[in-house]
Amino acid sequence: MNQENMYIPYIMQIEKVTDEAPLVKTFRLRFANPEDAEKFTFKAGQFGEYSIFGEGESTFCIASSPTRKGYIECTFRQAGRVTSALTNCEEGDIVGFRGPYGNTFPLDDWKGKNMLFIAGGIGLPPLRCVIWNCLDTRENFNDITIVYGAKTVADLVYKNELEEWKNRQDVNLYLTVDPGGETPDWKGEVGFVPTVLKKAAPSGDNTIAIVCGPPIMIKLTLPVLKDLGFNDGNIYTTLENRMKCGIGKCGHCNVGPIYVCKDGPVFSYPELLALPAEY
């Protein structure tokens, strides 16, 4: 973040805009100031505040990997005033970025382990950062398995990268869409993510599982992971939907004794269990 004033954003230029799915876009952002680009660092799991001057700012993850230098990427769905303003931006336009904020996935502690990524819909962007981090340092990890689903084929994000992962010999990729969401040429699974996970049956032995997606998907996925032999301490997720200011000032993400933006957004399953039941 800006070391002189945490409220002042970096000035970023949109280098590339990718239409991912209906109402979903990815921006590749480069720092307008080369010195900022040289000094900026982040780790997998952190997030930022993306702003349109005169409209406000919105919170979402850094979807690119810290192994990819010189730029950051974010993926967002048009849902409100700020994201609508972002949607109207074009390549070459200027936006603001504050960050990085939050804690990180402990990748150094996971060296030598198998990695299982489970995502639903727009839940893939927070995991994309970690997936590419693991793939760019492939020698540090054993088996890598990705289970990803969406309502329809059109709703799958990162379609080009999904194709790339499917063709890699060192990645096990399972793609699925909800019943009725398939197209005539769809060659993936048809079914909900927990069902496909059960069918894939990755071993819980020496494996870290990271889950991100709609709450109902996460709720139904956790029992499957337990049945597959995963220890609670090896299951992680990332929470973003309640964050606003990013620095623990507004209280919008306060849950019991924690602030999601400062104590998260990465949480292990035991940490989730310690949160108030209503969350």
Side-chain angles (χ1 to χ4, degrees):
M1 73 183 74
N2 190 303
Q3 298 300 313
E4 296 180 1
N5 188 328
M6 68 177 67
Y7 297 103
I8 298 178
Y10 292 109
I11 304 302
M12 313 291 288
Q13 185 173 41
I14 302 174
E15 179 181 70
K16 182 180 179 181
V17 177
T18 303
D19 291 315
E20 302 286 0
L23 302 180
V24 179
K25 290 189 175 186
T26 294
F27 285 176
R28 176 171 292 186
L29 305 175
R30 289 197 180 271
F31 293 85
N33 184 344
E35 293 183 1
D36 290 338
E38 288 185 14
K39 296 178 181 178
F40 182 81
T41 60
F42 73 100
K43 293 186 177 181
Q46 293 187 294
F47 66 94
E49 302 282 345
Y50 303 81
S51 57
I52 292 289
F53 302 107
E55 294 292 342
E57 57 186 9
S58 190
T59 310
F60 19 89
C61 70
I62 302 174
S64 53
S65 170
T67 54
R68 311 289 176 96
K69 304 298 184 181
Y71 65 87
I72 60 172
E73 291 181 326
C74 63
T75 300
F76 61 92
R77 173 182 284 140
Q78 181 180 350
R81 185 180 72 180
V82 178
T83 51
S84 294
L86 286 168
T87 297
N88 292 328
C89 289
E90 300 176 348
E91 293 176 359
D93 286 351
I94 297 296
V95 298
F97 169 79
R98 287 197 295 118
Y101 298 128
N103 64 354
T104 66
F105 289 102
L107 287 174
D108 287 341
D109 297 337
W110 295 346
K111 291 180 179 179
K113 295 186 178 294
N114 306 312
M115 300 297 298
L116 170 63
F117 301 95
I118 308 164
I122 199 68
L124 185 57
L127 300 193
R128 176 186 185 241
C129 172
V130 198
I131 291 170
W132 277 120
N133 199 324
C134 291
L135 292 178
D136 287 346
T137 56
R138 191 63 184 84
E139 68 279 3
N140 291 334
F141 304 95
N142 293 336
D143 292 343
I144 293 180
T145 300
I146 304 168
V147 180
Y148 173 50
K151 288 183 178 181
T152 71
V153 174
D155 290 315
L156 294 166
V157 298
Y158 307 134
K159 293 178 179 64
N160 290 337
E161 293 177 31
L162 294 177
E163 189 67 23
E164 181 179 345
W165 296 341
K166 183 176 72 173
N167 293 328
R168 288 184 63 134
Q169 298 298 311
D170 58 352
V171 173
N172 305 305
L173 177 65
Y174 298 86
L175 296 179
T176 188
V177 295
D178 292 356
E182 68 271 26
T183 57
D185 60 346
W186 174 244
K187 294 181 175 60
E189 302 282 346
V190 176
F192 300 110
V193 168
T195 303
V196 174
L197 174 64
K198 188 174 183 179
K199 180 179 178 180
S203 171
D205 185 41
N206 193 40
T207 305
I208 300 296
I210 310 176
V211 188
C212 189
I216 185 62
M217 188 215 82
I218 295 176
K219 181 180 180 180
L220 296 176
T221 295
L222 292 175
V224 177
L225 290 174
K226 297 288 287 183
D227 290 342
L228 292 172
F230 281 80
N231 296 322
D232 288 355
N234 287 339
I235 301 173
Y236 288 77
T237 191
T238 177
L239 306 175
E240 297 182 4
N241 59 327
R242 297 177 64 112
M243 295 189 295
K244 192 169 180 65
C245 75
I247 53 177
K249 300 295 185 182
C250 71
H252 192 265
C253 69
N254 177 234
V255 183
I258 71 155
Y259 288 88
V260 174
C261 67
K262 296 182 69 175
D263 300 300
V266 175
F267 293 93
S268 66
Y269 185 43
E271 290 171 331
L272 283 183
L273 292 175
L275 296 180
E278 63 270 18
Y279 187 73

PDB file of all heavy atoms in Angstrom, residues 109-116 140-144 202-209 228-231 234:
ATOM      1  N   ASP A 109       4.429 -23.274   3.794  1.00  0.00           N
ATOM      2  CA  ASP A 109       4.163 -24.414   4.675  1.00  0.00           C
ATOM      3  C   ASP A 109       3.589 -25.609   3.922  1.00  0.00           C
ATOM      4  O   ASP A 109       3.515 -26.708   4.468  1.00  0.00           O
ATOM      5  CB  ASP A 109       3.175 -24.016   5.783  1.00  0.00           C
ATOM      6  CG  ASP A 109       3.724 -22.938   6.699  1.00  0.00           C
ATOM      7  OD1 ASP A 109       4.965 -22.798   6.767  1.00  0.00           O
ATOM      8  OD2 ASP A 109       2.925 -22.221   7.327  1.00  0.00           O
ATOM      9  N   TRP A 110       3.164 -25.373   2.685  1.00  0.00           N
ATOM     10  CA  TRP A 110       2.506 -26.434   1.916  1.00  0.00           C
ATOM     11  C   TRP A 110       3.423 -27.106   0.899  1.00  0.00           C
ATOM     12  O   TRP A 110       2.973 -27.946   0.120  1.00  0.00           O
ATOM     13  CB  TRP A 110       1.286 -25.856   1.186  1.00  0.00           C
ATOM     14  CG  TRP A 110       0.213 -25.369   2.110  1.00  0.00           C
ATOM     15  CD1 TRP A 110       0.081 -25.623   3.441  1.00  0.00           C
ATOM     16  CD2 TRP A 110      -0.887 -24.518   1.758  1.00  0.00           C
ATOM     17  NE1 TRP A 110      -1.024 -24.992   3.956  1.00  0.00           N
ATOM     18  CE2 TRP A 110      -1.645 -24.308   2.941  1.00  0.00           C
ATOM     19  CE3 TRP A 110      -1.307 -23.915   0.577  1.00  0.00           C
ATOM     20  CZ2 TRP A 110      -2.788 -23.515   2.969  1.00  0.00           C
ATOM     21  CZ3 TRP A 110      -2.449 -23.132   0.595  1.00  0.00           C
ATOM     22  CH2 TRP A 110      -3.179 -22.942   1.777  1.00  0.00           C
ATOM     23  N   LYS A 111       4.683 -26.755   0.911  1.00  0.00           N
ATOM     24  CA  LYS A 111       5.613 -27.387  -0.023  1.00  0.00           C
ATOM     25  C   LYS A 111       5.644 -28.895   0.218  1.00  0.00           C
ATOM     26  O   LYS A 111       5.675 -29.354   1.351  1.00  0.00           O
ATOM     27  CB  LYS A 111       7.014 -26.790   0.130  1.00  0.00           C
ATOM     28  CG  LYS A 111       7.118 -25.347  -0.346  1.00  0.00           C
ATOM     29  CD  LYS A 111       8.529 -24.796  -0.170  1.00  0.00           C
ATOM     30  CE  LYS A 111       8.624 -23.353  -0.670  1.00  0.00           C
ATOM     31  NZ  LYS A 111       9.992 -22.797  -0.474  1.00  0.00           N
ATOM     32  N   GLY A 112       5.626 -29.643  -0.866  1.00  0.00           N
ATOM     33  CA  GLY A 112       5.639 -31.098  -0.758  1.00  0.00           C
ATOM     34  C   GLY A 112       4.271 -31.720  -0.578  1.00  0.00           C
ATOM     35  O   GLY A 112       4.155 -32.940  -0.462  1.00  0.00           O
ATOM     36  N   LYS A 113       3.228 -30.913  -0.568  1.00  0.00           N
ATOM     37  CA  LYS A 113       1.869 -31.425  -0.382  1.00  0.00           C
ATOM     38  C   LYS A 113       1.104 -31.463  -1.703  1.00  0.00           C
ATOM     39  O   LYS A 113       1.482 -30.815  -2.680  1.00  0.00           O
ATOM     40  CB  LYS A 113       1.111 -30.569   0.636  1.00  0.00           C
ATOM     41  CG  LYS A 113       1.678 -30.634   2.052  1.00  0.00           C
ATOM     42  CD  LYS A 113       0.812 -29.886   3.033  1.00  0.00           C
ATOM     43  CE  LYS A 113       1.364 -29.989   4.454  1.00  0.00           C
ATOM     44  NZ  LYS A 113       1.311 -31.382   4.962  1.00  0.00           N
ATOM     45  N   ASN A 114       0.022 -32.251  -1.720  1.00  0.00           N
ATOM     46  CA  ASN A 114      -0.922 -32.204  -2.831  1.00  0.00           C
ATOM     47  C   ASN A 114      -1.830 -31.003  -2.625  1.00  0.00           C
ATOM     48  O   ASN A 114      -2.140 -30.626  -1.488  1.00  0.00           O
ATOM     49  CB  ASN A 114      -1.770 -33.478  -2.875  1.00  0.00           C
ATOM     50  CG  ASN A 114      -0.933 -34.740  -2.917  1.00  0.00           C
ATOM     51  OD1 ASN A 114       0.010 -34.843  -3.702  1.00  0.00           O
ATOM     52  ND2 ASN A 114      -1.257 -35.712  -2.078  1.00  0.00           N
ATOM     53  N   MET A 115      -2.303 -30.412  -3.723  1.00  0.00           N
ATOM     54  CA  MET A 115      -3.180 -29.251  -3.648  1.00  0.00           C
ATOM     55  C   MET A 115      -4.496 -29.552  -4.354  1.00  0.00           C
ATOM     56  O   MET A 115      -4.513 -30.017  -5.488  1.00  0.00           O
ATOM     57  CB  MET A 115      -2.507 -28.044  -4.304  1.00  0.00           C
ATOM     58  CG  MET A 115      -1.185 -27.622  -3.676  1.00  0.00           C
ATOM     59  SD  MET A 115      -1.346 -27.075  -1.953  1.00  0.00           S
ATOM     60  CE  MET A 115      -2.435 -25.662  -2.155  1.00  0.00           C
ATOM     61  N   LEU A 116      -5.595 -29.270  -3.657  1.00  0.00           N
ATOM     62  CA  LEU A 116      -6.936 -29.447  -4.211  1.00  0.00           C
ATOM     63  C   LEU A 116      -7.655 -28.109  -4.177  1.00  0.00           C
ATOM     64  O   LEU A 116      -7.828 -27.511  -3.105  1.00  0.00           O
ATOM     65  CB  LEU A 116      -7.717 -30.484  -3.394  1.00  0.00           C
ATOM     66  CG  LEU A 116      -9.212 -30.614  -3.698  1.00  0.00           C
ATOM     67  CD1 LEU A 116      -9.448 -31.070  -5.135  1.00  0.00           C
ATOM     68  CD2 LEU A 116      -9.875 -31.572  -2.708  1.00  0.00           C
ATOM     69  N   ASN A 140       7.527 -27.341  -6.191  1.00  0.00           N
ATOM     70  CA  ASN A 140       7.277 -27.310  -4.742  1.00  0.00           C
ATOM     71  C   ASN A 140       6.066 -28.143  -4.311  1.00  0.00           C
ATOM     72  O   ASN A 140       5.835 -28.313  -3.116  1.00  0.00           O
ATOM     73  CB  ASN A 140       7.057 -25.871  -4.278  1.00  0.00           C
ATOM     74  CG  ASN A 140       8.318 -25.036  -4.359  1.00  0.00           C
ATOM     75  OD1 ASN A 140       9.435 -25.566  -4.299  1.00  0.00           O
ATOM     76  ND2 ASN A 140       8.163 -23.727  -4.512  1.00  0.00           N
ATOM     77  N   PHE A 141       5.277 -28.641  -5.272  1.00  0.00           N
ATOM     78  CA  PHE A 141       4.024 -29.298  -4.924  1.00  0.00           C
ATOM     79  C   PHE A 141       3.885 -30.633  -5.638  1.00  0.00           C
ATOM     80  O   PHE A 141       4.472 -30.852  -6.699  1.00  0.00           O
ATOM     81  CB  PHE A 141       2.845 -28.379  -5.265  1.00  0.00           C
ATOM     82  CG  PHE A 141       2.946 -27.035  -4.614  1.00  0.00           C
ATOM     83  CD1 PHE A 141       3.508 -25.956  -5.296  1.00  0.00           C
ATOM     84  CD2 PHE A 141       2.532 -26.842  -3.304  1.00  0.00           C
ATOM     85  CE1 PHE A 141       3.633 -24.722  -4.689  1.00  0.00           C
ATOM     86  CE2 PHE A 141       2.662 -25.609  -2.688  1.00  0.00           C
ATOM     87  CZ  PHE A 141       3.212 -24.544  -3.375  1.00  0.00           C
ATOM     88  N   ASN A 142       3.107 -31.518  -5.045  1.00  0.00           N
ATOM     89  CA  ASN A 142       2.856 -32.817  -5.649  1.00  0.00           C
ATOM     90  C   ASN A 142       1.651 -32.720  -6.588  1.00  0.00           C
ATOM     91  O   ASN A 142       1.611 -31.889  -7.457  1.00  0.00           O
ATOM     92  CB  ASN A 142       2.682 -33.873  -4.562  1.00  0.00           C
ATOM     93  CG  ASN A 142       3.966 -34.113  -3.788  1.00  0.00           C
ATOM     94  OD1 ASN A 142       5.066 -33.869  -4.287  1.00  0.00           O
ATOM     95  ND2 ASN A 142       3.853 -34.587  -2.556  1.00  0.00           N
ATOM     96  N   ASP A 143       0.658 -33.553  -6.408  1.00  0.00           N
ATOM     97  CA  ASP A 143      -0.504 -33.519  -7.298  1.00  0.00           C
ATOM     98  C   ASP A 143      -1.286 -32.217  -7.150  1.00  0.00           C
ATOM     99  O   ASP A 143      -1.461 -31.706  -6.038  1.00  0.00           O
ATOM    100  CB  ASP A 143      -1.445 -34.690  -6.981  1.00  0.00           C
ATOM    101  CG  ASP A 143      -0.842 -36.034  -7.347  1.00  0.00           C
ATOM    102  OD1 ASP A 143       0.134 -36.051  -8.124  1.00  0.00           O
ATOM    103  OD2 ASP A 143      -1.338 -37.066  -6.859  1.00  0.00           O
ATOM    104  N   ILE A 144      -1.767 -31.703  -8.275  1.00  0.00           N
ATOM    105  CA  ILE A 144      -2.623 -30.514  -8.271  1.00  0.00           C
ATOM    106  C   ILE A 144      -3.940 -30.885  -8.942  1.00  0.00           C
ATOM    107  O   ILE A 144      -3.959 -31.303 -10.107  1.00  0.00           O
ATOM    108  CB  ILE A 144      -1.963 -29.327  -8.993  1.00  0.00           C
ATOM    109  CG1 ILE A 144      -0.743 -28.839  -8.202  1.00  0.00           C
ATOM    110  CG2 ILE A 144      -2.963 -28.188  -9.181  1.00  0.00           C
ATOM    111  CD1 ILE A 144      -0.009 -27.670  -8.830  1.00  0.00           C
ATOM    112  N   PRO A 202     -10.466 -37.240  -4.667  1.00  0.00           N
ATOM    113  CA  PRO A 202      -9.044 -37.034  -4.352  1.00  0.00           C
ATOM    114  C   PRO A 202      -8.754 -37.451  -2.911  1.00  0.00           C
ATOM    115  O   PRO A 202      -9.592 -37.285  -2.027  1.00  0.00           O
ATOM    116  CB  PRO A 202      -8.859 -35.530  -4.538  1.00  0.00           C
ATOM    117  CG  PRO A 202     -10.220 -34.958  -4.283  1.00  0.00           C
ATOM    118  CD  PRO A 202     -11.195 -35.968  -4.803  1.00  0.00           C
ATOM    119  N   SER A 203      -7.591 -37.977  -2.693  1.00  0.00           N
ATOM    120  CA  SER A 203      -7.225 -38.432  -1.352  1.00  0.00           C
ATOM    121  C   SER A 203      -6.961 -37.252  -0.427  1.00  0.00           C
ATOM    122  O   SER A 203      -6.365 -36.248  -0.828  1.00  0.00           O
ATOM    123  CB  SER A 203      -5.976 -39.315  -1.433  1.00  0.00           C
ATOM    124  OG  SER A 203      -5.486 -39.607  -0.138  1.00  0.00           O
ATOM    125  N   GLY A 204      -7.409 -37.381   0.813  1.00  0.00           N
ATOM    126  CA  GLY A 204      -7.137 -36.352   1.806  1.00  0.00           C
ATOM    127  C   GLY A 204      -5.760 -36.478   2.425  1.00  0.00           C
ATOM    128  O   GLY A 204      -5.347 -35.624   3.224  1.00  0.00           O
ATOM    129  N   ASP A 205      -5.023 -37.512   2.068  1.00  0.00           N
ATOM    130  CA  ASP A 205      -3.702 -37.748   2.650  1.00  0.00           C
ATOM    131  C   ASP A 205      -2.697 -36.743   2.124  1.00  0.00           C
ATOM    132  O   ASP A 205      -2.509 -36.623   0.905  1.00  0.00           O
ATOM    133  CB  ASP A 205      -3.251 -39.178   2.329  1.00  0.00           C
ATOM    134  CG  ASP A 205      -1.937 -39.518   3.003  1.00  0.00           C
ATOM    135  OD1 ASP A 205      -1.744 -39.139   4.172  1.00  0.00           O
ATOM    136  OD2 ASP A 205      -1.089 -40.158   2.345  1.00  0.00           O
ATOM    137  N   ASN A 206      -2.076 -35.995   3.005  1.00  0.00           N
ATOM    138  CA  ASN A 206      -1.048 -35.015   2.651  1.00  0.00           C
ATOM    139  C   ASN A 206      -1.566 -34.001   1.630  1.00  0.00           C
ATOM    140  O   ASN A 206      -0.846 -33.556   0.739  1.00  0.00           O
ATOM    141  CB  ASN A 206       0.204 -35.712   2.098  1.00  0.00           C
ATOM    142  CG  ASN A 206       1.407 -34.778   2.015  1.00  0.00           C
ATOM    143  OD1 ASN A 206       1.640 -33.971   2.909  1.00  0.00           O
ATOM    144  ND2 ASN A 206       2.155 -34.872   0.926  1.00  0.00           N
ATOM    145  N   THR A 207      -2.856 -33.617   1.751  1.00  0.00           N
ATOM    146  CA  THR A 207      -3.467 -32.730   0.766  1.00  0.00           C
ATOM    147  C   THR A 207      -4.098 -31.519   1.431  1.00  0.00           C
ATOM    148  O   THR A 207      -4.780 -31.650   2.453  1.00  0.00           O
ATOM    149  CB  THR A 207      -4.558 -33.475  -0.040  1.00  0.00           C
ATOM    150  OG1 THR A 207      -3.989 -34.643  -0.631  1.00  0.00           O
ATOM    151  CG2 THR A 207      -5.125 -32.581  -1.139  1.00  0.00           C
ATOM    152  N   ILE A 208      -3.864 -30.350   0.845  1.00  0.00           N
ATOM    153  CA  ILE A 208      -4.506 -29.109   1.263  1.00  0.00           C
ATOM    154  C   ILE A 208      -5.683 -28.840   0.328  1.00  0.00           C
ATOM    155  O   ILE A 208      -5.533 -28.896  -0.890  1.00  0.00           O
ATOM    156  CB  ILE A 208      -3.524 -27.922   1.193  1.00  0.00           C
ATOM    157  CG1 ILE A 208      -2.322 -28.165   2.124  1.00  0.00           C
ATOM    158  CG2 ILE A 208      -4.234 -26.615   1.548  1.00  0.00           C
ATOM    159  CD1 ILE A 208      -2.671 -28.233   3.594  1.00  0.00           C
ATOM    160  N   ALA A 209      -6.853 -28.551   0.898  1.00  0.00           N
ATOM    161  CA  ALA A 209      -8.032 -28.216   0.101  1.00  0.00           C
ATOM    162  C   ALA A 209      -8.396 -26.759   0.319  1.00  0.00           C
ATOM    163  O   ALA A 209      -8.481 -26.293   1.462  1.00  0.00           O
ATOM    164  CB  ALA A 209      -9.210 -29.111   0.488  1.00  0.00           C
ATOM    165  N   LEU A 228     -13.756 -37.839   2.537  1.00  0.00           N
ATOM    166  CA  LEU A 228     -12.549 -38.190   1.788  1.00  0.00           C
ATOM    167  C   LEU A 228     -11.302 -38.231   2.671  1.00  0.00           C
ATOM    168  O   LEU A 228     -10.206 -38.503   2.175  1.00  0.00           O
ATOM    169  CB  LEU A 228     -12.339 -37.193   0.645  1.00  0.00           C
ATOM    170  CG  LEU A 228     -13.372 -37.236  -0.490  1.00  0.00           C
ATOM    171  CD1 LEU A 228     -13.165 -36.070  -1.452  1.00  0.00           C
ATOM    172  CD2 LEU A 228     -13.285 -38.565  -1.242  1.00  0.00           C
ATOM    173  N   GLY A 229     -11.477 -37.938   3.945  1.00  0.00           N
ATOM    174  CA  GLY A 229     -10.364 -38.061   4.883  1.00  0.00           C
ATOM    175  C   GLY A 229      -9.566 -36.803   5.122  1.00  0.00           C
ATOM    176  O   GLY A 229      -8.447 -36.867   5.658  1.00  0.00           O
ATOM    177  N   PHE A 230     -10.109 -35.660   4.765  1.00  0.00           N
ATOM    178  CA  PHE A 230      -9.391 -34.405   4.999  1.00  0.00           C
ATOM    179  C   PHE A 230      -9.501 -33.988   6.462  1.00  0.00           C
ATOM    180  O   PHE A 230     -10.585 -34.027   7.057  1.00  0.00           O
ATOM    181  CB  PHE A 230      -9.967 -33.292   4.118  1.00  0.00           C
ATOM    182  CG  PHE A 230      -9.497 -33.330   2.705  1.00  0.00           C
ATOM    183  CD1 PHE A 230     -10.065 -34.221   1.788  1.00  0.00           C
ATOM    184  CD2 PHE A 230      -8.465 -32.507   2.263  1.00  0.00           C
ATOM    185  CE1 PHE A 230      -9.628 -34.265   0.474  1.00  0.00           C
ATOM    186  CE2 PHE A 230      -8.029 -32.546   0.956  1.00  0.00           C
ATOM    187  CZ  PHE A 230      -8.605 -33.436   0.053  1.00  0.00           C
ATOM    188  N   ASN A 231      -8.371 -33.572   7.025  1.00  0.00           N
ATOM    189  CA  ASN A 231      -8.367 -33.001   8.364  1.00  0.00           C
ATOM    190  C   ASN A 231      -8.873 -31.570   8.310  1.00  0.00           C
ATOM    191  O   ASN A 231      -8.617 -30.853   7.338  1.00  0.00           O
ATOM    192  CB  ASN A 231      -6.951 -33.016   8.952  1.00  0.00           C
ATOM    193  CG  ASN A 231      -6.413 -34.418   9.143  1.00  0.00           C
ATOM    194  OD1 ASN A 231      -7.149 -35.322   9.521  1.00  0.00           O
ATOM    195  ND2 ASN A 231      -5.130 -34.598   8.881  1.00  0.00           N
ATOM    196  N   ASN A 234      -6.516 -28.800   7.328  1.00  0.00           N
ATOM    197  CA  ASN A 234      -6.009 -28.751   5.955  1.00  0.00           C
ATOM    198  C   ASN A 234      -7.038 -28.215   4.975  1.00  0.00           C
ATOM    199  O   ASN A 234      -6.848 -28.312   3.756  1.00  0.00           O
ATOM    200  CB  ASN A 234      -5.557 -30.142   5.502  1.00  0.00           C
ATOM    201  CG  ASN A 234      -4.265 -30.572   6.172  1.00  0.00           C
ATOM    202  OD1 ASN A 234      -3.504 -29.751   6.666  1.00  0.00           O
ATOM    203  ND2 ASN A 234      -4.010 -31.877   6.201  1.00  0.00           N
TER     204      ASN A 234
END
